[in-house]
Protein backbone atom coordinates (compact mmCIF):
# COMPACT_ATOMS: atom_id res chain seq x y z
CA UNK A 1 0.00 0.00 0.00
CA UNK A 2 1.23 3.52 -0.79
CA UNK A 3 2.75 5.55 2.02
CA UNK A 4 0.63 8.54 3.03
CA UNK A 5 1.87 11.68 4.76
CA UNK A 6 -0.69 12.78 7.32
CA UNK A 7 0.65 16.32 7.66
CA UNK A 8 -0.52 18.95 5.19
CA UNK A 9 2.09 20.10 2.66
CA UNK A 10 2.43 23.83 3.41
CA UNK A 11 3.81 26.94 1.74
CA UNK A 12 5.60 29.96 3.19
CA UNK A 13 2.41 32.04 2.86
CA UNK A 14 0.79 29.91 5.56
CA UNK A 15 3.20 31.08 8.27
CA UNK A 16 4.21 34.24 10.09
CA UNK A 17 7.06 35.01 12.45
CA UNK A 18 6.14 35.91 16.01
CA UNK A 19 8.12 38.93 17.31
CA UNK A 20 10.66 38.40 20.07
CA UNK A 21 12.38 40.80 22.44
CA UNK A 22 14.16 43.52 20.47
CA UNK A 23 17.19 44.34 22.57
CA UNK A 24 19.29 47.46 22.18
CA UNK A 25 21.78 45.30 20.27
CA UNK A 26 19.13 44.48 17.66
CA UNK A 27 19.67 47.21 15.11
CA UNK A 28 20.10 46.53 11.37
CA UNK A 29 23.71 47.68 11.41
CA UNK A 30 24.59 44.85 13.81
CA UNK A 31 22.88 42.09 11.82
CA UNK A 32 25.12 39.59 10.01
CA UNK A 33 23.68 37.69 7.04
CA UNK A 34 26.72 35.46 6.53
CA UNK A 35 25.90 31.85 5.70
CA UNK A 36 27.90 28.69 4.91
CA UNK A 37 27.86 27.63 1.26
CA UNK A 38 29.49 24.19 1.57
CA UNK A 39 29.79 21.51 4.23
CA UNK A 40 32.21 21.75 7.13
CA UNK A 41 33.12 19.93 10.33
CA UNK A 42 32.06 21.05 13.78
CA UNK A 43 34.52 23.57 15.18
CA UNK A 44 35.84 24.48 11.73
CA UNK A 45 34.90 27.26 9.33
CA UNK A 46 33.42 26.46 5.90
CA UNK A 47 35.84 26.84 3.01
CA UNK A 48 33.23 28.89 1.15
CA UNK A 49 30.87 31.31 2.88
CA UNK A 50 28.29 33.76 1.56
CA UNK A 51 28.15 37.31 2.88
CA UNK A 52 24.42 37.43 2.11
CA UNK A 53 22.31 34.26 1.78
CA UNK A 54 21.50 34.72 -1.92
CA UNK A 55 22.49 32.67 -4.97
CA UNK A 56 21.02 33.06 -8.44
CA UNK A 57 19.28 30.22 -10.26
CA UNK A 58 20.97 28.04 -12.86
CA UNK A 59 18.93 29.50 -15.71
CA UNK A 60 19.58 30.94 -19.18
CA UNK A 61 17.38 33.94 -18.40
CA UNK A 62 19.11 34.69 -15.09
CA UNK A 63 22.73 33.70 -14.52
CA UNK A 64 25.35 34.77 -17.03
CA UNK A 65 28.70 36.44 -16.33
CA UNK A 66 27.12 39.91 -16.04
CA UNK A 67 24.77 38.95 -13.23
CA UNK A 68 27.49 36.81 -11.63
CA UNK A 69 29.80 39.82 -11.35
CA UNK A 70 27.07 42.07 -9.95
CA UNK A 71 25.85 39.54 -7.38
CA UNK A 72 29.36 38.57 -6.20
CA UNK A 73 30.21 42.24 -5.71
CA UNK A 74 27.17 42.52 -3.45
CA UNK A 75 27.91 39.48 -1.30
CA UNK A 76 26.09 36.63 -3.06
CA UNK A 77 27.00 34.12 -5.74
CA UNK A 78 25.72 33.05 -9.17
CA UNK A 79 25.67 29.60 -10.69
CA UNK A 80 26.22 30.24 -14.41
CA UNK A 81 23.73 28.25 -16.43
CA UNK A 82 24.88 24.93 -17.86
CA UNK A 83 22.40 24.59 -20.74
CA UNK A 84 24.99 25.87 -23.20
CA UNK A 85 28.18 24.54 -24.73
CA UNK A 86 31.03 23.67 -22.41
CA UNK A 87 33.22 26.25 -24.11
CA UNK A 88 30.79 29.15 -23.73
CA UNK A 89 30.02 28.33 -20.10
CA UNK A 90 33.73 28.10 -19.28
CA UNK A 91 34.30 31.45 -21.00
CA UNK A 92 31.61 33.07 -18.84
CA UNK A 93 33.37 31.71 -15.75
CA UNK A 94 36.67 33.16 -17.00
CA UNK A 95 35.10 36.57 -17.50
CA UNK A 96 33.97 36.64 -13.88
CA UNK A 97 37.35 35.49 -12.58
CA UNK A 98 39.15 38.04 -14.75
CA UNK A 99 37.04 40.87 -13.41
CA UNK A 100 38.80 42.77 -10.65
CA UNK A 101 37.17 45.53 -8.70
CA UNK A 102 38.79 48.61 -10.10
CA UNK A 103 40.86 46.67 -12.65
CA UNK A 104 38.81 46.93 -15.85
CA UNK A 105 39.52 44.82 -18.93
CA UNK A 106 39.40 47.29 -21.83
CA UNK A 107 36.61 46.67 -24.35
CA UNK A 108 37.54 49.77 -26.38
CA UNK A 109 40.71 49.18 -28.39
CA UNK A 110 42.10 50.19 -31.78
CA UNK A 111 45.36 49.97 -33.71
CA UNK A 112 47.52 52.94 -34.78
CA UNK A 113 46.27 52.39 -38.35
CA UNK A 114 42.66 53.09 -37.46
CA UNK A 115 41.35 56.61 -38.06
CA UNK A 116 39.56 59.31 -36.11
CA UNK A 117 36.36 58.06 -37.75
CA UNK A 118 36.84 54.74 -35.95
CA UNK A 119 37.46 56.55 -32.65
CA UNK A 120 34.25 58.56 -32.93
CA UNK A 121 32.24 55.52 -33.99
CA UNK A 122 33.57 53.43 -31.08
CA UNK A 123 32.81 56.18 -28.59
CA UNK A 124 29.24 56.43 -29.91
CA UNK A 125 28.74 52.66 -29.77
CA UNK A 126 30.33 51.88 -26.39
CA UNK A 127 30.31 55.26 -24.66
CA UNK A 128 33.92 55.06 -23.46
CA UNK A 129 36.20 58.02 -24.08
CA UNK A 130 39.44 56.21 -23.13
CA UNK A 131 40.62 53.87 -25.87
CA UNK A 132 43.66 51.62 -25.65
CA UNK A 133 45.84 51.52 -28.76
CA UNK A 134 47.44 48.09 -29.15
CA UNK A 135 49.44 46.47 -31.93
CA UNK A 136 46.50 44.26 -32.93
CA UNK A 137 43.53 46.20 -31.60
CA UNK A 138 42.73 43.63 -28.91
CA UNK A 139 42.25 44.14 -25.19
CA UNK A 140 45.50 42.31 -24.38
CA UNK A 141 47.73 43.32 -27.26
CA UNK A 142 51.01 45.20 -26.89
CA UNK A 143 50.17 48.70 -25.62
CA UNK A 144 51.38 51.39 -28.03
CA UNK A 145 49.41 54.35 -26.71
CA UNK A 146 46.11 55.71 -25.43
CA UNK A 147 43.69 58.07 -27.14
CA UNK A 148 41.11 60.13 -25.21
CA UNK A 149 38.89 63.12 -25.93
CA UNK A 150 41.81 65.39 -25.05
CA UNK A 151 43.87 64.12 -28.01
CA UNK A 152 41.65 65.39 -30.83
CA UNK A 153 39.14 68.05 -31.82
CA UNK A 154 36.37 67.05 -34.21
CA UNK A 155 36.12 70.62 -35.49
CA UNK A 156 39.81 70.87 -36.39
CA UNK A 157 41.15 67.34 -37.10
CA UNK A 158 40.46 65.48 -40.33
CA UNK A 159 38.35 62.36 -39.84
CA UNK A 160 40.84 60.24 -41.82
CA UNK A 161 43.72 61.17 -39.46
CA UNK A 162 45.35 58.00 -38.16
CA UNK A 163 45.11 57.11 -34.49
CA UNK A 164 48.89 56.79 -34.36
CA UNK A 165 49.21 60.51 -35.15
CA UNK A 166 46.73 61.57 -32.47
CA UNK A 167 47.32 59.23 -29.52
CA UNK A 168 49.51 59.79 -26.51
CA UNK A 169 52.34 57.33 -27.29
CA UNK A 170 53.49 54.71 -24.82
CA UNK A 171 56.73 56.58 -24.09
CA UNK A 172 54.72 59.47 -22.61
CA UNK A 173 52.31 57.35 -20.60
CA UNK A 174 52.45 56.64 -16.90
CA UNK A 175 51.59 52.97 -16.48
CA UNK A 176 51.23 50.41 -13.71
CA UNK A 177 52.41 46.81 -13.63
CA UNK A 178 50.38 43.66 -13.13
CA UNK A 179 50.57 42.62 -9.50
CA UNK A 180 50.16 46.06 -7.99
CA UNK A 181 47.22 46.48 -5.62
CA UNK A 182 44.25 48.70 -6.27
CA UNK A 183 45.43 50.99 -3.48
CA UNK A 184 48.82 51.36 -5.16
CA UNK A 185 47.19 52.05 -8.52
CA UNK A 186 44.93 54.72 -7.03
CA UNK A 187 47.94 56.32 -5.31
CA UNK A 188 49.63 56.67 -8.72
CA UNK A 189 46.45 58.17 -10.22
CA UNK A 190 46.17 60.76 -7.46
CA UNK A 191 49.89 61.55 -7.37
CA UNK A 192 50.07 62.24 -11.11
CA UNK A 193 46.54 63.70 -11.44
CA UNK A 194 45.51 61.08 -14.00
CA UNK A 195 42.03 60.10 -15.15
CA UNK A 196 43.14 56.57 -15.93
CA UNK A 197 46.10 54.26 -15.43
CA UNK A 198 46.91 51.48 -17.94
CA UNK A 199 48.14 48.27 -16.30
CA UNK A 200 50.59 46.22 -18.37
CA UNK A 201 52.51 42.96 -17.98
CA UNK A 202 56.26 42.44 -18.35
CA UNK A 203 55.90 42.21 -22.16
CA UNK A 204 54.07 45.57 -22.37
CA UNK A 205 50.75 43.85 -23.10
CA UNK A 206 47.69 45.76 -21.94
CA UNK A 207 45.88 43.97 -19.11
CA UNK A 208 43.61 46.52 -17.41
CA UNK A 209 42.71 50.14 -16.90
CA UNK A 210 42.15 51.69 -13.48
CA UNK A 211 39.95 54.79 -13.59
CA UNK A 212 39.85 57.71 -11.17
CA UNK A 213 36.03 57.84 -11.35
CA UNK A 214 35.79 54.29 -9.98
CA UNK A 215 37.66 55.09 -6.78
CA UNK A 216 34.60 55.93 -4.69
CA UNK A 217 32.45 53.20 -6.24
CA UNK A 218 34.80 50.49 -4.96
CA UNK A 219 33.95 51.50 -1.41
CA UNK A 220 30.27 50.76 -2.11
CA UNK A 221 30.88 47.00 -2.10
CA UNK A 222 32.04 46.02 1.40
CA UNK A 223 30.48 42.53 1.06
CA UNK A 224 32.30 41.46 -2.10
CA UNK A 225 32.78 37.72 -2.46
CA UNK A 226 36.51 37.31 -3.13
CA UNK A 227 38.87 34.34 -3.22
CA UNK A 228 42.41 34.30 -1.81
CA UNK A 229 43.63 36.03 -4.98
CA UNK A 230 41.07 38.84 -4.62
CA UNK A 231 39.06 37.52 -7.57
CA UNK A 232 35.29 37.29 -7.48
CA UNK A 233 33.72 33.95 -6.57
CA UNK A 234 31.52 32.23 -9.13
CA UNK A 235 29.63 28.95 -9.40
CA UNK A 236 28.52 26.89 -12.39
CA UNK A 237 25.68 24.50 -13.11
CA UNK A 238 26.39 20.99 -14.41
CA UNK A 239 24.34 17.92 -15.31
CA UNK A 240 24.70 14.17 -14.88
CA UNK A 241 25.13 13.56 -18.62
CA UNK A 242 28.31 15.37 -19.71
CA UNK A 243 29.96 16.10 -16.35
CA UNK A 244 33.06 14.10 -17.27
CA UNK A 245 33.86 16.66 -20.00
CA UNK A 246 32.24 19.76 -18.48
CA UNK A 247 33.68 19.68 -14.96
CA UNK A 248 37.40 19.71 -15.96
CA UNK A 249 36.76 22.69 -18.26
CA UNK A 250 34.93 24.62 -15.55
CA UNK A 251 37.57 23.84 -12.94
CA UNK A 252 40.30 24.98 -15.33
CA UNK A 253 38.35 28.19 -15.98
CA UNK A 254 38.30 28.90 -12.25
CA UNK A 255 34.80 27.94 -11.05
CA UNK A 256 34.77 27.96 -7.23
CA UNK A 257 31.76 25.68 -6.74
CA UNK A 258 29.56 23.49 -8.95
CA UNK A 259 25.93 22.43 -8.64
CA UNK A 260 24.12 19.56 -10.31
CA UNK A 261 21.03 21.06 -11.88
CA UNK A 262 18.02 18.75 -11.85
CA UNK A 263 14.31 19.07 -11.16
CA UNK A 264 14.51 15.78 -9.22
CA UNK A 265 17.89 15.04 -7.65
CA UNK A 266 16.94 11.86 -5.79
CA UNK A 267 18.42 9.63 -8.48
CA UNK A 268 21.25 7.21 -9.09
CA UNK A 269 22.37 9.35 -12.02
CA UNK A 270 23.11 12.24 -9.70
CA UNK A 271 24.78 10.10 -7.02
CA UNK A 272 27.05 8.52 -9.64
CA UNK A 273 28.00 11.97 -10.97
CA UNK A 274 28.92 13.23 -7.49
CA UNK A 275 31.04 10.17 -6.74
CA UNK A 276 32.83 10.40 -10.07
CA UNK A 277 33.64 14.08 -9.58
CA UNK A 278 34.96 13.48 -6.07
CA UNK A 279 37.03 10.46 -7.15
CA UNK A 280 38.59 12.31 -10.07
CA UNK A 281 39.03 15.80 -8.62
CA UNK A 282 39.09 15.26 -4.87
CA UNK A 283 37.31 17.26 -2.21
CA UNK A 284 38.75 20.55 -3.44
CA UNK A 285 36.03 20.62 -6.09
CA UNK A 286 32.81 21.51 -4.26
CA UNK A 287 29.57 20.11 -5.67
CA UNK A 288 26.02 20.91 -4.62
CA UNK A 289 23.20 18.52 -5.45
CA UNK A 290 19.40 18.29 -5.61
CA UNK A 291 16.62 19.02 -5.78
CA UNK A 292 14.98 16.96 -3.01
CA UNK A 293 11.98 17.47 -0.72
CA UNK A 294 12.40 14.96 2.11
CA UNK A 295 14.83 13.31 4.53
CA UNK A 296 15.49 10.26 2.35
CA UNK A 297 16.50 12.35 -0.65
CA UNK A 298 18.74 14.53 1.52
CA UNK A 299 20.60 11.60 3.10
CA UNK A 300 20.99 9.84 -0.24
CA UNK A 301 22.85 12.76 -1.80
CA UNK A 302 24.84 13.48 1.36
CA UNK A 303 26.06 9.87 1.39
CA UNK A 304 27.13 10.32 -2.23
CA UNK A 305 29.37 13.23 -1.15
CA UNK A 306 27.34 16.39 -1.88
CA UNK A 307 28.67 19.62 -0.35
CA UNK A 308 25.25 21.28 -0.09
CA UNK A 309 21.70 20.22 -0.89
CA UNK A 310 19.01 22.12 -2.81
CA UNK A 311 15.43 21.75 -1.61
CA UNK A 312 12.29 22.25 -3.70
CA UNK A 313 10.32 20.64 -6.51
CA UNK A 314 7.67 22.50 -8.45
CA UNK A 315 7.57 25.71 -6.38
CA UNK A 316 9.28 28.07 -8.83
CA UNK A 317 7.26 30.86 -10.43
CA UNK A 318 7.82 29.48 -13.94
CA UNK A 319 7.82 25.79 -12.95
CA UNK A 320 4.87 23.55 -13.85
CA UNK A 321 6.37 20.23 -12.73
CA UNK A 322 3.61 19.69 -10.18
CA UNK A 323 0.98 20.45 -12.80
CA UNK A 324 2.54 18.18 -15.41
CA UNK A 325 3.79 15.27 -13.30
CA UNK A 326 2.00 15.59 -9.98
CA UNK A 327 5.23 15.45 -7.94
CA UNK A 328 6.59 17.90 -5.39
CA UNK A 329 5.83 19.26 -1.97
CA UNK A 330 4.90 22.56 -0.36
CA UNK A 331 8.16 24.46 0.00
CA UNK A 332 7.81 25.28 3.70
CA UNK A 333 7.13 21.65 4.60
CA UNK A 334 10.05 20.46 2.46
CA UNK A 335 12.50 22.92 4.05
CA UNK A 336 11.37 22.07 7.58
CA UNK A 337 11.83 18.32 7.08
CA UNK A 338 15.17 18.54 5.28
CA UNK A 339 16.49 21.03 7.85
CA UNK A 340 15.54 18.64 10.62
CA UNK A 341 17.39 15.84 8.81
CA UNK A 342 20.41 18.15 8.36
CA UNK A 343 20.49 18.90 12.10
CA UNK A 344 20.19 15.21 13.02
CA UNK A 345 23.03 14.38 10.65
CA UNK A 346 25.16 17.11 12.21
CA UNK A 347 24.52 15.74 15.70
CA UNK A 348 25.46 12.21 14.61
CA UNK A 349 28.51 12.96 12.46
CA UNK A 350 29.74 16.45 13.36
CA UNK A 351 29.45 17.41 9.67
CA UNK A 352 27.18 20.32 8.76
CA UNK A 353 25.57 20.16 5.31
CA UNK A 354 24.10 23.54 4.24
CA UNK A 355 20.71 23.45 2.54
CA UNK A 356 19.46 25.83 -0.11
CA UNK A 357 15.77 26.60 -0.57
CA UNK A 358 14.92 26.79 -4.28
CA UNK A 359 11.44 28.09 -5.19
CA UNK A 360 8.28 29.09 -3.38
CA UNK A 361 9.40 32.61 -2.39
CA UNK A 362 6.82 35.18 -3.45
CA UNK A 363 7.17 37.98 -0.88
CA UNK A 364 10.36 39.29 0.71
CA UNK A 365 9.20 38.16 4.15
CA UNK A 366 9.11 34.58 2.82
CA UNK A 367 12.90 34.80 2.70
CA UNK A 368 13.12 35.32 6.45
CA UNK A 369 10.68 32.48 7.01
CA UNK A 370 12.78 30.17 4.84
CA UNK A 371 15.92 31.09 6.78
CA UNK A 372 14.13 30.67 10.12
CA UNK A 373 12.82 27.26 9.05
CA UNK A 374 16.36 26.07 8.49
CA UNK A 375 17.55 27.08 5.03
CA UNK A 376 21.13 28.37 5.00
CA UNK A 377 20.69 30.30 1.76
CA UNK A 378 18.21 30.85 -1.07
CA UNK A 379 18.40 30.23 -4.79
CA UNK A 380 16.13 32.51 -6.79
CA UNK A 381 15.37 33.07 -10.46
CA UNK A 382 12.43 35.45 -10.83
CA UNK A 383 13.90 37.80 -8.24
CA UNK A 384 17.13 38.31 -10.22
CA UNK A 385 15.59 38.10 -13.72
CA UNK A 386 14.00 41.54 -13.13
CA UNK A 387 17.29 43.43 -12.93
CA UNK A 388 19.43 45.29 -15.47
CA UNK A 389 22.25 42.79 -15.02
CA UNK A 390 20.27 39.69 -16.06
CA UNK A 391 20.92 38.59 -19.67
CA UNK A 392 17.40 39.05 -21.07
CA UNK A 393 15.85 41.86 -23.09
CA UNK A 394 13.99 44.76 -21.52
CA UNK A 395 10.73 45.38 -23.36
CA UNK A 396 7.86 47.85 -23.09
CA UNK A 397 4.45 46.25 -23.02
CA UNK A 398 1.62 48.73 -22.71
CA UNK A 399 2.78 51.34 -20.20
CA UNK A 400 5.13 49.04 -18.29
CA UNK A 401 8.66 47.79 -18.79
CA UNK A 402 9.26 44.06 -18.41
CA UNK A 403 12.08 41.58 -18.87
CA UNK A 404 11.83 38.17 -20.49
CA UNK A 405 11.97 35.16 -18.18
CA UNK A 406 11.69 31.51 -19.15
CA UNK A 407 12.09 28.23 -17.35
CA UNK A 408 14.77 25.66 -18.07
CA UNK A 409 11.95 23.16 -18.61
CA UNK A 410 10.40 25.28 -21.38
CA UNK A 411 10.76 24.54 -25.08
CA UNK A 412 12.66 27.82 -25.40
CA UNK A 413 15.45 26.66 -23.07
CA UNK A 414 15.34 23.05 -24.30
CA UNK A 415 17.35 21.99 -21.26
CA UNK A 416 16.29 18.35 -21.36
CA UNK A 417 19.27 17.32 -19.22
CA UNK A 418 17.70 19.02 -16.19
CA UNK A 419 14.65 16.77 -16.54
CA UNK A 420 16.62 13.67 -17.56
CA UNK A 421 15.01 10.35 -16.61
CA UNK A 422 17.70 8.17 -18.14
CA UNK A 423 17.76 6.56 -21.55
CA UNK A 424 18.18 8.54 -24.73
CA UNK A 425 14.93 10.48 -24.92
CA UNK A 426 14.90 14.26 -25.02
CA UNK A 427 12.35 16.73 -23.63
CA UNK A 428 8.91 15.21 -24.34
CA UNK A 429 6.78 17.81 -22.54
CA UNK A 430 7.35 21.17 -20.91
CA UNK A 431 7.90 21.62 -17.17
CA UNK A 432 8.43 25.38 -17.39
CA UNK A 433 6.86 28.39 -19.09
CA UNK A 434 8.03 31.36 -21.17
CA UNK A 435 6.99 34.64 -19.52
CA UNK A 436 7.75 38.23 -18.51
CA UNK A 437 8.60 39.74 -15.13
CA UNK A 438 8.25 43.43 -14.15
CA UNK A 439 11.49 45.32 -14.76
CA UNK A 440 12.96 46.51 -11.45
CA UNK A 441 16.20 48.38 -12.22
CA UNK A 442 19.67 47.76 -10.81
CA UNK A 443 20.52 44.68 -8.74
CA UNK A 444 22.38 46.63 -6.06
CA UNK A 445 19.51 49.03 -5.35
CA UNK A 446 16.92 46.26 -5.05
CA UNK A 447 19.14 43.94 -3.07
CA UNK A 448 19.80 46.67 -0.51
CA UNK A 449 16.06 47.10 0.01
CA UNK A 450 15.53 43.34 0.37
CA UNK A 451 18.39 42.78 2.79
CA UNK A 452 17.19 45.82 4.72
CA UNK A 453 13.78 44.17 5.14
CA UNK A 454 15.40 40.91 6.26
CA UNK A 455 17.54 42.69 8.86
CA UNK A 456 14.58 44.71 10.14
CA UNK A 457 12.49 41.55 10.51
CA UNK A 458 15.30 39.76 12.33
CA UNK A 459 15.61 42.70 14.73
CA UNK A 460 11.87 42.54 15.44
CA UNK A 461 12.33 38.86 16.27
CA UNK A 462 15.35 39.57 18.48
CA UNK A 463 18.19 38.14 16.38
CA UNK A 464 21.39 39.54 14.87
CA UNK A 465 22.64 36.45 12.98
CA UNK A 466 21.16 33.57 10.99
CA UNK A 467 22.19 30.68 13.30
CA UNK A 468 20.31 32.33 16.19
CA UNK A 469 17.29 32.89 13.96
CA UNK A 470 17.22 29.21 12.97
CA UNK A 471 17.67 28.07 16.56
CA UNK A 472 15.13 30.21 18.38
CA UNK A 473 12.67 31.78 15.93
CA UNK A 474 8.98 31.57 16.82
CA UNK A 475 6.77 30.66 13.85
CA UNK A 476 2.98 30.41 13.73
CA UNK A 477 0.52 28.97 11.23
CA UNK A 478 -2.02 31.48 9.96
CA UNK A 479 -5.57 31.06 8.71
CA UNK A 480 -6.82 32.33 5.36
CA UNK A 481 -8.73 35.03 7.24
CA UNK A 482 -5.61 36.27 9.04
CA UNK A 483 -3.80 36.51 5.70
CA UNK A 484 -6.50 38.94 4.53
CA UNK A 485 -6.19 40.80 7.83
CA UNK A 486 -2.47 41.27 7.23
CA UNK A 487 -3.01 43.44 4.17
CA UNK A 488 -4.78 46.77 3.72
CA UNK A 489 -8.51 46.20 4.34
CA UNK A 490 -11.74 48.03 5.10
CA UNK A 491 -10.43 51.26 3.64
CA UNK A 492 -10.66 53.08 0.31
CA UNK A 493 -7.16 53.38 -1.10
CA UNK A 494 -6.09 56.65 -2.66
CA UNK A 495 -5.30 56.74 -6.36
CA UNK A 496 -1.64 57.80 -6.22
CA UNK A 497 -1.49 58.23 -10.01
CA UNK A 498 -3.57 61.42 -9.90
Amino acid sequence: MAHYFNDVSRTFSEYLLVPGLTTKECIPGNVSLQAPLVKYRKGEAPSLQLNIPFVSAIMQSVSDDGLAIALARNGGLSFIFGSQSIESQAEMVRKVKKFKAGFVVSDSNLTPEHTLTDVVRMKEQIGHSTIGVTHDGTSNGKLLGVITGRDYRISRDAMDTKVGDLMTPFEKLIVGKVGMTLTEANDVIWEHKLNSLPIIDEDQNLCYFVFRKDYESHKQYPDEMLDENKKLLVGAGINSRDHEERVPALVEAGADVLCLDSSDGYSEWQADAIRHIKEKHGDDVKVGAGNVVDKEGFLYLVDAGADFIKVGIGGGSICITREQKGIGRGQATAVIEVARARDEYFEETGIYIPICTDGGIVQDYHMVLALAMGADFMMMGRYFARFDESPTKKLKIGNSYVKEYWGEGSNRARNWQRYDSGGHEGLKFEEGVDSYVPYAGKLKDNLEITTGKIKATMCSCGFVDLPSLREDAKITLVSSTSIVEGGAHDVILKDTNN
Side-chain angles (χ1 to χ4, degrees):
M1 185 176 178
H3 177 81
Y4 290 88
F5 289 86
N6 292 322
D7 293 334
V8 175
S9 184
R10 299 190 181 278
T11 67
F12 294 131
S13 292
E14 296 176 77
Y15 292 92
L16 285 175
L17 288 152
V18 176
L21 174 64
T22 302
T23 66
K24 293 178 181 178
E25 179 192 17
C26 293
I27 60 173
N30 289 340
V31 175
S32 169
L33 295 181
Q34 287 189 327
L37 179 61
V38 296
K39 67 184 178 185
Y40 61 94
R41 291 188 175 277
K42 187 175 183 178
E44 298 178 358
S47 58
L48 292 174
Q49 182 166 271
L50 297 164
N51 288 327
I52 60 172
F54 289 77
V55 299
S56 65
I58 308 169
M59 300 174 67
Q60 295 173 8
S61 56
V62 178
S63 298
D64 68 347
D65 52 287
L67 190 102
I69 290 170
L71 184 51
R73 296 198 75 189
N74 285 280
L77 183 132
S78 288
F79 287 91
I80 290 178
F81 70 93
S83 51
Q84 60 178 315
S85 71
I86 295 173
E87 293 75 19
S88 60
Q89 187 185 22
E91 182 57 30
M92 285 189 182
V93 170
R94 288 191 191 93
K95 287 180 179 178
V96 180
K97 299 306 289 187
K98 286 179 180 178
F99 178 89
K100 297 179 72 174
F103 291 87
V104 180
V105 176
S106 176
D107 59 1
S108 306
N109 306 282
L110 296 171
T111 70
E113 297 304 309
H114 280 95
T115 65
L116 182 55
T117 298
D118 298 309
V119 174
V120 173
R121 183 183 299 119
M122 179 169 284
K123 183 177 180 180
E124 290 175 348
Q125 290 175 344
I126 302 178
H128 297 165
S129 59
T130 299
I131 297 173
V133 184
T134 59
H135 79 287
D136 58 359
T138 66
S139 61
N140 56 2
K142 185 175 182 179
L143 182 63
L144 302 180
V146 171
I147 184 167
T148 72
R150 294 181 300 178
D151 294 313
Y152 59 86
R153 287 188 292 177
I154 299 297
S155 60
R156 298 279 184 95
D157 295 310
M159 296 305 291
D160 60 354
T161 306
K162 289 189 175 182
V163 168
D165 296 329
L166 296 169
M167 69 183 188
T168 301
F170 180 81
E171 295 75 22
K172 294 184 178 181
L173 292 176
I174 295 173
V175 299
K177 294 294 182 69
V178 168
M180 72 188 314
T181 66
L182 183 59
T183 299
E184 292 170 339
N186 280 314
D187 286 344
V188 173
I189 286 174
W190 285 91
E191 179 183 349
H192 294 278
K193 300 181 179 179
L194 305 174
N195 288 324
S196 65
L197 179 71
I199 306 296
I200 61 172
D201 63 17
E202 58 186 11
D203 296 319
Q204 201 178 313
N205 295 316
L206 177 63
C207 298
Y208 308 104
F209 275 101
V210 177
F211 293 96
R212 172 188 287 261
K213 64 182 177 60
D214 290 337
Y215 176 75
E216 287 300 326
S217 71
H218 304 323
K219 298 185 181 298
Q220 299 174 12
Y221 300 95
D223 293 325
E224 272 188 324
M225 292 283 291
L226 302 173
D227 63 19
E228 64 275 8
N229 297 314
K230 303 299 182 183
K231 296 181 179 180
L232 294 177
L233 295 183
V234 62
I238 59 175
N239 63 72
S240 58
R241 283 279 181 165
D242 66 4
H243 62 88
E244 293 187 29
E245 298 79 32
R246 190 174 293 270
V247 170
L250 294 173
V251 171
E252 189 276 331
D256 298 283
V257 59
L258 307 174
C259 184
L260 281 156
D261 182 30
S262 175
S263 66
D264 178 12
Y266 191 7
S267 75
E268 291 183 344
W269 309 109
Q270 195 156 131
D272 289 345
I274 298 169
R275 291 190 181 101
H276 179 271
I277 293 169
K278 293 295 184 178
E279 288 170 3
K280 184 172 182 180
H281 300 278
D283 200 46
D284 287 341
V285 174
K286 306 299 181 183
V287 186
N291 288 18
V292 300
V293 292
D294 61 8
K295 176 179 180 178
E296 286 75 15
F298 169 82
L299 292 175
Y300 183 76
L301 295 179
V302 168
D303 290 343
D307 291 289
F308 68 84
I309 303 294
K310 281 206 296 155
V311 179
I313 294 177
S317 61
I318 40 70
C319 184
I320 54 174
T321 295
R322 296 179 192 174
E323 179 182 315
Q324 292 282 51
K325 296 169 68 174
I327 66 170
R329 202 174 194 186
Q331 190 67 7
T333 299
V335 169
I336 291 168
E337 178 172 325
V338 175
R340 186 177 295 121
R342 185 266 322 279
D343 294 343
E344 291 172 356
Y345 186 85
F346 182 53
E347 287 296 320
E348 294 170 4
T349 66
I351 299 173
Y352 188 90
I353 312 290
I355 63 173
C356 168
T357 180
D358 180 14
I361 291 175
V362 181
Q363 307 292 341
D364 283 356
Y365 80 89
H366 291 169
M367 299 178 189
V368 193
L369 278 167
L371 297 168
M373 289 173 177
D376 293 280
F377 57 97
M378 303 164 288
M379 177 175 280
M380 294 184 290
R382 179 191 61 85
Y383 179 86
F384 290 110
R386 304 172 301 146
F387 302 148
D388 284 322
E389 294 84 355
S390 75
T392 61
K393 296 177 181 177
K394 183 176 74 171
L395 306 170
K396 189 173 185 180
I397 297 180
N399 293 321
S400 302
Y401 283 98
V402 297
K403 293 204 76 177
E404 294 180 301
Y405 179 48
W406 60 91
E408 290 297 291
S410 67
N411 280 326
R412 180 171 183 175
R414 304 194 66 80
N415 183 10
W416 64 270
Q417 293 95 336
R418 188 176 198 273
Y419 302 86
D420 189 11
S421 298
H424 300 286
E425 296 182 349
L427 192 64
K428 292 296 186 184
F429 55 88
E430 289 186 291
E431 293 188 43
V433 298
D434 195 347
S435 63
Y436 301 109
V437 289
Y439 168 67
K442 293 187 179 297
L443 178 146
K444 181 179 176 61
D445 296 339
N446 286 274
L447 201 54
E448 285 178 351
I449 293 172
T450 299
T451 54
K453 288 180 183 179
I454 293 173
K455 291 179 178 182
T457 303
M458 289 174 63
C459 288
S460 291
C461 294
F463 306 108
V464 293
D465 59 49
L466 296 180
S468 300
L469 175 70
R470 284 196 302 273
E471 185 72 24
D472 296 316
K474 296 181 290 185
I475 301 172
T476 181
L477 273 169
V478 294
S479 67
S480 57
T481 306
S482 66
I483 293 173
V484 174
E485 179 187 61
H489 60 90
D490 301 321
V491 295
I492 300 172
L493 296 178
K494 294 181 178 179
D495 184 356
T496 56
N497 294 321
N498 295 327

